[in-house]
Amino acid sequence: MLGICRGRRKFLAASLTLLCIPAITWLYLFAGSFEDGKPVSLSPLESQPHSPRYTASSQRERESLEVRVREVEEENRALRRQLSLAQGHGPAHRRGNHSKTYSMEEGTGDSENLRAGIVAGNSSECGQQPVVEKCETIHVAIVCAGYNASRDVVTLVKSVLFHRRNPLHFHLIADSIAEQILATLFQTWMVPAVRVDFYNADELKSEVSWIPNKHYSGIYGLMKLVLTKTLPANLERVIVLDTDITFATDIAELWAVFHKFKGQQVLGLVENQSDWYLGNLWKNHRPWPALGRGYNTGVILLLLDKLRKMKWEQMWRLTAERELMGMLSTSLADQDIFNAVIKQNPFLVYQLPCFWNVQLSDHTRSEQCYRDVSDLKVIHWNSPKKLRVKNKHVEFFRNLYLTFLEYDGNLLRRELFGCPSEADVNSENLQKQLSELDEDDLCYEFRRERFTVHRTHLYFLHYEYEPTSDNTDVTLVAQLSMDRKSVIQLDLANTKKVMIVPAFETLRYRLSFPKSKAELLSMLDMGTLFTFRYHVWTKGHAPTNFAKWRTATTPYRVEWEADFEPYVVVRRDCPEYDRRFVGFGWNKVAHIMELDAQEYEFIVLPNAYMIHMPHAPSFDITKFRSNKQYRICLKTLKEEFQQDMSRRYGFAALKYLTAENNS
């Protein structure tokens, strides 16, 4: 910290010198241009060589003075270069491992404050430098409802985790769907130094349902107004984010801005970057009242403790009730009400530099917020068009978003050096299991995968689900629907049966899917379709008995055979897949073997079918084909699995070993 302060003093001294030298120089020139109380012209064009006052001595003084002026100007330019270098390298030094000090005086937003500080010569500024402690927890609140929002928020969270260096506490205001999805995600993600709390959005609806809202966010777009009531009473400050945000920097830099609030400032906001609140976008456009261009609420810094003392709840409610008498509804959800309150109470706002919320909306002026990639902090996709919005640099922004969308979240499971995480039983058990493995084992990667907990994002696509009263409903994770009259007939809920769905394939990338069994058989006869993997791995589906299936009208039973790996429908309480088989090879084979060992019946459905479409080879099958060690490890795991089967099922498991040896 002392080093930082010294650096700031040098920076301040250089700045003062830069300002003072021109003043002293011109004061000197001004004083030197008077002789006997009368002004003397310094311009060569105004010199009068025939004047009696024009002497050789005066000429030498003038030339000497001009040389000195040039020297001072050169020194001035050198100081400017030195100052520029100090500004360029200063923040990088302050963001090192030993100091978490972030200066928010970079960029266009605070340049006036920076200049004012230099002129004032505030020697105590070093002690007031905004600081985020190394292990200080940063609190983030997000309203997230529905399956789409839960998908968007994961991309936001990835971008925050990618850059962060501090512990994070997410406060998620979520409906039941989003909570189920995100709770599972974070439990399986197991990111160190991250805590997640959920708040029931459905319980908050009554707080804002009286406000008509035309915005596509619906009722959930108003819930940021009630965060002072919703979040814990002992939480003093929080960063509030929309789900369509992407971070391009460490969120701690934004957290540090709280230290710059003064007086009654309780809201940190970026100015709206469109002309919406100016009311000139179209004829008869009548927006809610706002201060100038108004403020965008996609990124908000809330001082919760002060807001509560100011009776924020009463403040925004009275404002909303009064404005709704004339406006009838909100157009931009909570943003309209925030702006109406600010219009009456401008002292509440600390205006953030615009790079903290670069808004890619229609009619945006966001290009004025950045000159270079390094200027970008937060990107806000606040147009209903999202990634299809028109912007000169939209390709760059879209690629940044897609980078985090597709980024492997498992890579973000990294510890924060020097910041102890809260004890997590699942994580500790995983580490214990991994520590017992031999890293020199050539099959270590296979064995490690057996214990790996994969992050799970549920309900990726929209679904409509109502459980049946007789518990015979079926969910298939595939492009496949299933008639439950088979489920009832086979009494699947009360018996140990496996329903086999016959599999076919096509070599064509475009296919008109057969609407009936008769149409499928016709395509099979014409060579448009084939039984699955008949030309590569016949044994995998041969026991299905496709010849019998062609004429079958009722379900029929088949027996297990070596290497059988059909696609099946089975009760959810069936044995799970063996986790040692990851990637390519033996995962379905081992599962079918386990089902047979537990005396499940294999029943082929006569009127159900599925079709495999062609696709590029997976990474794992490529390794299987090209890597000898991969095949050796897979063989080793098969032998270990069969030994485990023998220990669990005794004499009954001998048939699997015999069948394997004969195959």
Side-chain angles (χ1 to χ4, degrees), residues 141-142 156 224 240-245 296-299 334 380:
I142 305 170
L156 161 61
K224 283 183 279 188
V240 186
L241 302 173
D242 280 356
T243 57
D244 53 0
I245 290 287
N296 185 278
T297 56
V299 177
D334 65 87
H380 186 188

Side-chain angles (χ1 to χ4, degrees), residues 143 145-146 148-149 152 212-222 224 242-245 276 296-298 329-336 359-362 380-389:
V143 178
N148 272 336
D152 292 337
N213 179 27
K214 293 180 180 177
H215 193 255
Y216 61 83
S217 58
I219 193 170
Y220 299 105
L222 298 162
K224 283 183 279 188
D242 280 356
T243 57
D244 53 0
I245 290 287
W276 176 271
N296 185 278
T297 56
S329 67
T330 61
S331 296
L332 299 181
D334 65 87
Q335 183 169 300
D336 284 338
Q359 300 151 36
L360 301 183
S361 60
D362 298 325
H380 186 188
W381 301 89
N382 61 322
S383 167
K385 300 175 184 175
K386 300 305 178 188
L387 299 186
R388 300 187 304 277
V389 70

Side-chain angles (χ1 to χ4, degrees), residues 10-72:
K10 290 178 182 178
F11 175 84
L12 187 60
S15 304
L16 287 171
T17 304
L18 178 61
L19 289 172
C20 291
I21 284 178
I24 294 171
T25 301
W26 291 112
L27 184 62
Y28 170 71
L29 294 177
F30 183 69
S33 64
F34 279 80
E35 187 173 300
D36 298 330
K38 297 179 181 179
V40 177
S41 173
L42 296 179
S43 172
L45 296 175
E46 295 176 359
S47 62
Q48 301 178 19
H50 301 294
S51 168
R53 301 180 63 88
Y54 188 82
T55 64
S57 176
S58 297
Q59 178 66 17
R60 284 194 298 273
E61 288 178 3
R62 184 185 302 279
E63 291 173 353
S64 176
L65 191 56
E66 290 175 352
V67 169
R68 179 57 184 153
V69 169
R70 286 193 292 270
E71 288 176 352
V72 170

Side-chain angles (χ1 to χ4, degrees), residues 357-552:
N357 187 349
V358 177
Q359 300 151 36
L360 301 183
S361 60
D362 298 325
H363 314 292
T364 185
R365 301 166 63 248
S366 61
E367 291 176 17
Q368 300 179 22
C369 289
Y370 56 88
R371 294 182 298 273
D372 202 308
V373 173
S374 59
D375 294 333
L376 295 170
K377 304 286 186 182
V378 172
I379 299 164
H380 186 188
W381 301 89
N382 61 322
S383 167
K385 300 175 184 175
K386 300 305 178 188
L387 299 186
R388 300 187 304 277
V389 70
K390 293 182 180 179
N391 182 280
K392 185 165 70 175
H393 303 114
V394 71
E395 280 302 316
F396 171 81
F397 296 126
R398 187 185 291 123
N399 289 338
L400 182 64
Y401 174 85
L402 293 175
T403 296
F404 288 114
L405 175 67
E406 299 170 4
Y407 191 82
D408 183 357
N410 295 310
L411 300 178
L412 297 168
R413 289 171 169 168
R414 56 175 183 260
E415 292 284 348
L416 296 179
F417 291 108
C419 296
S421 302
E422 294 182 11
D424 180 86
V425 176
N426 293 331
S427 181
E428 289 179 350
N429 289 339
L430 176 60
Q431 293 303 320
K432 183 177 181 297
Q433 291 170 330
L434 292 177
S435 65
E436 293 173 354
L437 297 178
D438 181 8
E439 294 190 22
D440 294 328
D441 184 352
L442 294 176
C443 300
Y444 171 77
E445 290 298 325
F446 279 88
R447 302 190 192 285
R448 185 179 187 277
E449 281 294 328
R450 183 178 184 181
F451 302 108
T452 300
V453 178
H454 296 276
R455 56 187 288 274
T456 306
H457 191 173
L458 302 174
Y459 311 128
F460 191 80
L461 299 176
H462 178 62
Y463 70 100
E464 297 290 342
Y465 172 62
E466 291 184 9
T468 59
S469 58
D470 56 0
N471 293 323
T472 57
D473 54 313
V474 174
T475 300
L476 297 180
V477 186
Q479 288 78 9
L480 174 69
S481 60
M482 206 28 227
D483 187 342
R484 70 171 69 93
K485 289 179 294 166
S486 299
V487 175
I488 295 173
Q489 288 176 353
L490 297 175
D491 195 19
L492 192 66
N494 302 307
T495 59
K496 297 172 70 173
K497 288 188 173 69
V498 176
M499 297 193 299
I500 296 174
V501 181
F504 301 86
E505 68 176 329
T506 180
L507 302 180
R508 300 181 179 182
Y509 285 89
R510 293 179 178 273
L511 178 75
S512 177
F513 198 88
K515 298 180 177 60
S516 65
K517 180 176 179 178
E519 188 176 343
L520 180 138
L521 291 174
S522 175
M523 296 172 72
L524 199 63
D525 293 336
M526 291 189 297
T528 306
L529 294 179
F530 308 92
T531 54
F532 189 53
R533 287 293 187 255
Y534 84 100
H535 58 299
V536 176
W537 187 243
T538 307
K539 294 191 294 184
H541 292 263
T544 300
N545 195 343
F546 289 99
K548 183 173 183 177
W549 183 82
R550 293 179 68 101
T551 58

Side-chain angles (χ1 to χ4, degrees), residues 159-193:
S159 71
V160 173
L161 290 175
F162 182 84
H163 297 286
R164 65 100 179 219
R165 300 179 184 178
N166 284 70
L168 296 170
H169 188 164
F170 289 102
H171 303 265
L172 302 180
I173 296 84
D175 65 352
S176 57
I177 294 175
E179 181 173 351
Q180 184 180 6
I181 294 171
L182 295 173
T184 302
L185 176 68
F186 281 104
Q187 286 168 7
T188 55
W189 203 344
M190 295 191 299
V191 181

Side-chain angles (χ1 to χ4, degrees), residues 616-654:
S618 67
F619 176 69
D620 292 290
I621 196 173
T622 302
K623 285 201 299 186
F624 174 82
R625 291 169 176 170
S626 62
N627 190 326
K628 182 179 179 181
Q629 187 59 47
Y630 190 103
R631 297 192 294 273
I632 291 173
C633 286
L634 183 59
K635 185 174 184 296
T636 301
L637 296 178
K638 286 167 57 177
E639 293 170 353
E640 292 176 359
F641 172 77
Q642 289 168 337
Q643 292 171 6
D644 290 343
M645 290 281 288
S646 297
R647 281 191 292 270
R648 288 198 300 271
Y649 302 109
F651 180 77
L654 287 177

